[in-house]
Amino acid sequence: MNILAWKNLLHDRVRLVVTLTGIVFALVLIAVQFGMFLGFLDTSANIVEHNAAELWISAPGIPHVNGGSPIAEAKRWKAMQVEGVEKAVSFTLFFLNWKLPNGAFESCQIAGFDLDSGLGAPWNVVAGSVEDLRGEDTVFVDELYKKKLGVSKVGDTLELNGKRARVVGFTRGIRSFTTAPYVFTSFKNAQTYMRLREDETIFILVKTKPGADVAAVKAGLQATVAGVEVFTHQEMLERTQAYWVFGTGAGTTTLMGAVLGLLVGIVVVAQTIYAATIDHLKEFGTLKAMGATNGQIYRVIILQAVLAAVMGYGLGITIALFVVNSTSDTDLLIKLPAEAAMGIFGLTLFMCMSASLLSIRKATTIDPAMVFRG
Amino acid sequence: MEALVTVENLVKTYGAGANEVQALCGVSMEVRAGEVLVMMGPSGSGKTTLISILGGILTATSGSVKIDGREIVGLPEKHLPALRKELFGFIFQGFNLFPALTAVENVSIMCQLKGVRNPRQRAAELLESVGLQEKLKSYPADLSGGQKQRVAIARALAGEPRIILADEPTAALDSVSGRTVLEIMSGLAREKNRAVVIVTHDPRVLDYCDRIVHIEDGRVGREEVHNQREKVA
Ligand SMILES: Nc1ncnc2c1ncn2[C@@H]1O[C@H](COP(=O)(O)OP(=O)(O)OP(=O)(O)O)[C@@H](O)[C@H]1O
Ligand SMILES: [Mg+2]
């Protein structure tokens, strides 16, 4: 009986094309929208994710990692007295103006980190050495934003918040969720660019001693250091993602897009599989007259749906991967990890099977006695 | 000859109330193994209704239909598919072949459904027996009406049913292919002691049948014995 499902599906080429187009369209929509969502999660908090600090100390109530405000750097000494703290270093993240060669301004975010501990250092370095940031006026930028920031090679100099900045290295793929790219420099340099007072920082990053209980250290810091809030790595990550991805509607919009794709897919596939079932009513009736059970008819209908799903998935995921790859060197990250691709396969099967339910209902009502009528 | 099917006082009423149609009003008859039985009658007389009930694809209102001694009237619906699978082969006026399947696939899918071993090989043999060995891989769209009906006959023979039920099998065929189909069908009855029931208006069928039952207004009218078998012998 399997052959009937397979050949019925292939017999009507036009319908097959319509079905596959529906599945592929839905799939690409789901994959790209969901991939954008994953990309947003990744991009929005990459600066936290790639930071090895277990605890972040900031001004109280900051909304996200990009929204810090100055605190006294002297609190670092207090923090270091807390049981379980191995290191407490300064880190800044702040929006600044970047002057382009043509005199126009772009916004960037200066990430100033402690060179000795390396907490908050850039990753994926493709040109230059992080050690070069020990020099005055030195910065790292990301290759993705070369054009936006008007730089092309190591040694280019520009103006950052009115002060000279020399590009000494590049990273690859450190995206920014906002339109302001990250520019890395030493904490000392950042203080100068930001015109912070000598005794001010934005964050104090804490590395705990091996085996220390992070929650206990956090409580200790919160009790010892006055006028600050202490976040774990995970808390800062989630707070930042929640702000950018859900607070801005970017997350909801992409997820809605994915759900919409699923609905469109179900409707298109349901419609074509239903039409195919109606067209084959006489054949199904003949099968029933000749002794096929309802279960056997359902199997044919469901198998048709599954075959359509497998074919549509093969095509759709190929196109989706193509779209994903084509974004790999743009500032919009679309992620499609293997787990997501597998999840989408499950979703495609679900989509096609639920689309065939209507047809199955129809098949139960087939009266085999119809076969003797004209 | 033994009676394979015995029908007694069969009544079928369609609809209810003002829409009630009495399609069969107490039909009694029998079908014997090895015979070609033809049912004739004017349009609307109840032939299709009768053959549908005989074949277990329509339920009767009252009366009795015994097949090989087994009562099928009043049998729960869920037992009917297995019964049809075991006992009957059906042939339709409109052929009802699956357009997406080749001739041999059309037959083998039915062999499969009926649990025949080596369905594909058996299908090829059945097609050969109706003279279509050259057309195994042809699609219905590429076959003539007579060839399609021969595929349908081969399909009806899948699983060696004891009873073949055909409703107007030649109505859509020209006279030459109509005769070929009837010849094959009458051969079926002789060769394996099957019962072949043909509903038709086609007078050509008289040359190939053993007995004619006339149906009029849902009742059995005249019965004629033709005894084709003796003529041939
Ligand atoms: N499903 C149905 N619902 C209601 N009435 C029906 C139904 N099927 C048949 N009838 C009626 O039952 C009667 C017998 O119909 P049937 O189809 O058995 O006749 P028939 O002898 O096969 O006619 P024909 O030679 O035109 O095929 C007719 O009056 C018909 O209108
Ligand atoms: Mg009829």
Side-chain angles (χ1 to χ4, degrees):
Chain A
M1 299 275 270
N2 298 354
I3 190 175
L4 187 64
W6 179 241
K7 294 198 88 172
N8 267 352
L9 200 62
L10 293 183
H11 187 65
D12 190 337
R13 293 295 154 96
V14 176
R15 173 170 295 136
L16 181 63
V17 168
V18 172
T19 312
L20 290 184
T21 309
I23 299 173
V24 166
F25 180 74
L27 253 172
V28 172
L29 200 60
I30 294 169
V32 168
Q33 294 286 326
F34 189 64
M36 267 165 66
F37 174 75
L38 293 179
F40 286 165
L41 284 183
D42 202 273
T43 305
S44 61
N46 53 1
I47 214 88
V48 180
E49 176 139 35
H50 285 85
N51 195 310
E54 283 98 353
L55 294 161
W56 291 63
I57 302 175
S58 74
I62 67 162
H64 49 89
V65 79
N66 313 80
S69 53
I71 54 174
E73 206 200 346
K75 296 189 198 287
R76 215 149 66 79
W77 309 113
K78 272 252 189 276
M80 283 204 282
Q81 289 161 11
V82 172
E83 169 92 34
V85 172
E86 184 173 296
K87 270 183 228 159
V89 300
S90 302
F91 181 68
T92 71
L93 204 59
F94 211 77
F95 287 91
L96 287 182
N97 277 332
W98 175 278
K99 193 173 176 189
L100 298 174
N102 66 9
F105 287 99
E106 270 287 355
S107 211
C108 74
Q109 289 185 79
I110 187 94
F113 68 99
D114 172 67
L115 273 156
D116 295 326
S117 67
L119 287 179
W123 60 100
N124 287 352
V125 173
V126 292
S129 152
V130 172
E131 282 302 305
D132 297 339
L133 290 173
R134 289 194 189 274
E136 259 181 56
D137 309 337
T138 53
V139 295
F140 261 55
V141 300
D142 195 273
E143 283 189 337
L144 292 174
Y145 301 99
K146 273 182 172 173
K147 229 177 122 191
K148 188 177 174 76
L149 296 179
V151 301
S152 57
K153 58 185 188 305
V154 168
D156 284 358
T157 57
L158 283 106
E159 225 180 273
L160 183 51
N161 204 21
K163 295 194 161 56
R164 200 176 89 104
R166 187 159 47 89
V167 177
V168 295
F170 286 102
T171 57
R172 180 177 294 158
I174 303 185
R175 293 175 173 82
S176 164
F177 185 81
T178 66
T179 55
Y182 288 116
V183 170
F184 288 87
T185 189
S186 69
F187 174 68
K188 275 280 148 249
N189 284 338
Q191 261 185 333
T192 315
Y193 286 128
M194 290 165 65
R195 301 173 206 275
L196 276 183
R197 289 215 315 265
E198 191 129 5
D199 62 344
E200 278 182 335
T201 181
I202 303 287
F203 294 105
I204 295 166
L205 301 179
V206 172
K207 189 96 193 87
T208 58
K209 289 197 171 118
D213 174 5
V214 174
V217 177
K218 179 186 164 178
L221 285 168
Q222 198 71 76
T224 313
V225 188
V228 296
E229 188 162 354
V230 185
F231 300 94
T232 64
H233 173 89
Q234 196 59 28
E235 284 164 353
M236 186 56 91
L237 189 81
E238 282 168 10
R239 176 170 279 246
T240 302
Q241 286 177 334
Y243 181 86
W244 289 118
V245 180
F246 294 103
T248 61
T252 323
T253 313
T254 46
L255 285 182
M256 287 287 287
V259 170
L260 203 67
L262 185 65
L263 291 180
V264 168
I266 291 180
V267 170
V268 173
V269 177
Q271 143 69 25
T272 51
I273 290 185
Y274 187 71
T277 309
I278 299 290
D279 271 12
H280 293 131
L281 277 186
K282 187 124 205 170
E283 298 169 42
F284 290 134
T286 306
L287 277 176
K288 270 194 175 180
M290 299 202 170
T293 57
N294 275 336
Q296 285 171 309
I297 309 277
Y298 302 160
R299 280 237 306 276
V300 173
I301 294 174
I302 290 176
L303 191 58
Q304 276 179 27
V306 169
L307 288 171
V310 170
M311 283 196 277
Y313 180 78
L315 273 171
I317 209 75
T318 309
I319 296 175
L321 281 173
F322 182 78
V323 172
V324 167
N325 274 335
S326 68
T327 63
S328 67
D329 47 1
T330 70
D331 54 359
L332 176 70
L333 176 65
I334 305 182
K335 285 180 72 168
L336 194 59
E339 298 91 325
M342 266 152 65
I344 289 174
F345 181 63
L347 219 54
T348 315
L349 275 181
F350 165 78
M351 180 172 90
C352 292
M353 307 263 270
S354 47
S356 63
L357 286 182
L358 206 62
S359 301
I360 285 178
R361 260 186 58 106
K362 184 77 194 172
T364 17
T365 66
I366 296 173
D367 176 6
M370 74 184 265
V371 294
F372 279 136
R373 302 196 193 104
Chain B
M1 266 189 284
E2 54 164 325
L4 200 50
V5 182
T6 316
V7 179
E8 268 167 52
N9 208 20
L10 192 64
V11 173
K12 174 68 185 178
T13 314
Y14 288 112
N19 297 324
E20 196 175 285
V21 179
Q22 189 90 21
L24 297 176
C25 339
V27 170
S28 298
M29 59 174 282
E30 58 177 41
V31 184
R32 298 163 197 151
E35 78 169 342
V36 178
L37 175 75
V38 165
M39 294 204 276
M40 290 189 126
S43 185
S45 55
K47 307 181 295 293
T48 297
T49 303
L50 179 55
I51 203 174
S52 301
I53 294 173
L54 291 188
I57 61 179
L58 188 66
T59 49
T61 307
S62 67
S64 155
V65 176
K66 286 205 180 79
I67 295 169
D68 229 357
R70 269 191 281 173
E71 179 61 60
I72 68 164
V73 174
L75 216 55
E77 194 115 9
K78 63 172 199 240
H79 293 317
L80 293 177
L83 188 91
R84 296 196 289 266
K85 201 157 89 175
E86 180 196 333
L87 291 171
F88 304 106
F90 295 97
I91 297 169
F92 314 97
Q93 172 176 349
F95 321 125
N96 292 15
L97 297 177
F98 301 128
L101 302 185
T102 62
V104 72
E105 286 163 352
N106 262 288
V107 181
S108 74
I109 196 175
M110 211 49 69
C111 290
Q112 233 180 331
L113 180 65
K114 299 205 170 184
V116 175
R117 275 202 281 163
N118 297 330
R120 181 117 189 158
Q121 190 194 329
R122 183 67 192 134
E125 288 164 10
L126 287 170
L127 282 169
E128 203 171 322
S129 75
V130 295
L132 286 179
Q133 56 280 4
E134 313 275 284
K135 299 288 182 186
L136 300 186
K137 299 246 163 89
S138 301
Y139 284 90
D142 303 325
L143 297 173
S144 71
Q147 289 168 334
K148 280 187 235 187
Q149 200 56 300
R150 275 143 73 192
V151 176
I153 292 171
R155 178 173 71 176
L157 292 175
E160 305 289 342
R162 306 226 20 221
I163 305 163
I164 304 282
L165 302 173
D167 196 1
E168 306 275 11
T170 59
L173 305 180
D174 62 68
S175 83
V176 177
S177 36
R179 276 194 184 278
T180 316
V181 162
L182 288 172
E183 232 162 77
I184 294 171
M185 290 185 64
S186 63
L188 299 178
R190 319 211 184 296
E191 126 205 339
K192 293 236 167 118
N193 212 31
R194 291 186 183 97
V196 176
V197 180
I198 305 176
V199 168
T200 189
H201 291 105
D202 183 352
R204 291 171 296 186
V205 83
L206 302 180
D207 297 342
Y208 301 94
C209 74
D210 302 301
R211 211 150 53 89
I212 306 171
V213 173
H214 289 269
I215 312 279
E216 279 145 30
D217 285 335
R219 291 187 175 79
V220 175
R222 260 175 324 129
E223 221 177 278
E224 289 173 61
V225 178
H226 247 253
N227 234 341
Q228 180 60 25
R229 180 183 304 265
E230 275 159 30
K231 261 196 260 172
V232 168

